[in-house]
Amino acid sequence: MKGATLVLALLAGVATAAPEASIRPVARATQAVPVATEAAAPAHFFASLRPTLRPRAIVQQAMARRTARRKGQVCGDPDLQGEAVGAVPGRINGCGIEDAVRLRSVAGVSLSQPALMDCNTAKALKTWTERSAKKRLRNVGGGLVQYRVAAHYACRTRNNQPGARISEHGKGRAIDISGFVMQNGTRLTVLNDWSSRHRRALRGMHQDACGSFGTVLGPNSDRIHRDHFHFDTARYRSGPYCR
């Protein structure tokens, strides 16, 4: 008897502690079909919890954009848009690219000129774009929309010096970026803005590239790089070389 009394007391406590308002989502009111009654009653309204269907046109547009992105992707990544090129022979020993792509845009940021490179370099550029460049420039002129490409593949020696080793540009592993274009048309350049009010963004991007790329050079490295960033995917036992 005492046990039954205890159970009833607990149930009463639970009932009194129940919330007065339901935690279910607020229903969307929609007009229902009039209910047939003996007295002609006005149309009633009922509550529907089903989400509104997207218009078919919007779905078709989204699918078309997805198909276009897949069609233009390279390196198996829709964020890398361009065209596959294949083997690129070099005119001198040590140059050339085994499996090249011609990149037009990366993670939604276009290139001022299509850039020839291998997939490792294209993927490194995407990583830096998403983790650094777009974030560092998100509050400048509406955000980053284009890279100004100063150089990409070129069969040559380092800094065009006679007798020097083959440049990473000659292997499709490098890209030089001289500037950045914002959505509203604002342009930042390495030459003019390395020490301007935008210096924190540019210097931050330069620093962030170290790791994604094996070599990172900028205005503080030497006079040859005073007007651009040099990025390449060469790897060294001692780790990235960044100046």
Side-chain angles (χ1 to χ4, degrees):
M1 186 66 176
K2 291 183 178 179
T5 303
L6 178 61
V7 170
L8 290 174
L10 290 174
L11 290 176
V14 171
T16 57
E20 296 181 359
S22 171
I23 60 174
R24 295 182 62 190
V26 178
R28 184 180 68 255
T30 56
Q31 189 170 1
V33 177
V35 178
T37 60
E38 293 182 359
H44 293 284
F45 290 85
F46 69 90
S48 172
L49 294 177
R50 296 183 62 185
T52 303
L53 295 176
R54 292 180 179 176
R56 185 174 180 82
I58 293 179
V59 175
Q60 291 175 336
Q61 290 172 6
M63 293 301 293
R65 287 194 295 268
R66 181 180 298 179
T67 300
R69 276 170 50 79
R70 287 178 177 173
K71 185 177 180 180
Q73 73 179 12
V74 293
C75 305
D77 189 340
D79 284 335
L80 300 174
Q81 293 286 304
E83 60 179 325
V85 175
V88 176
R91 60 181 177 80
I92 59 177
N93 189 34
C95 282
I97 311 174
E98 183 176 347
D99 191 10
V101 297
R102 185 172 284 109
L103 196 64
R104 293 194 304 269
S105 71
V106 53
V109 179
S110 68
L111 277 60
S112 61
Q113 59 174 303
L116 204 60
M117 64 187 72
D118 64 14
C119 280
N120 284 339
T121 306
K123 291 176 180 179
L125 184 60
K126 175 190 171 180
T127 298
W128 176 71
T129 298
E130 292 183 329
R131 294 182 182 178
S132 180
K134 291 172 75 171
K135 292 181 179 180
R136 295 276 186 181
L137 296 173
R138 64 180 177 270
N139 295 324
V140 181
L144 177 65
V145 296
Q146 186 184 77
Y147 291 129
R148 302 299 298 174
V149 177
H152 48 103
Y153 174 75
C155 184
R156 61 173 175 80
T157 58
R158 291 182 178 179
N159 299 324
N160 290 304
Q161 297 299 312
R165 298 176 63 181
I166 297 296
S167 168
E168 294 302 312
H169 283 283
K171 303 173 185 178
R173 300 177 187 170
I175 185 169
D176 290 352
I177 296 176
S178 61
F180 309 87
V181 182
M182 307 301 119
Q183 189 174 29
N184 69 356
T186 298
R187 297 193 177 201
L188 305 183
T189 67
V190 176
L191 180 63
N192 296 328
D193 293 293
W194 184 249
S195 298
S196 77
R197 64 188 180 91
H198 298 293
R199 61 185 176 276
R200 180 175 295 180
L202 266 68
R203 295 180 185 226
M205 288 189 288
H206 176 271
Q207 181 178 354
D208 295 341
C210 193
S212 296
F213 295 97
T215 308
V216 176
L217 302 175
N220 289 344
S221 61
D222 54 44
R223 62 180 182 81
I224 295 175
H225 297 92
R226 67 186 183 279
D227 63 352
H228 68 274
F229 293 154
H230 167 89
F231 299 147
D232 72 50
T233 51
R235 297 298 173 185
Y236 309 99
R237 291 182 180 179
S238 58
Y241 179 81
C242 308
R243 292 184 62 186

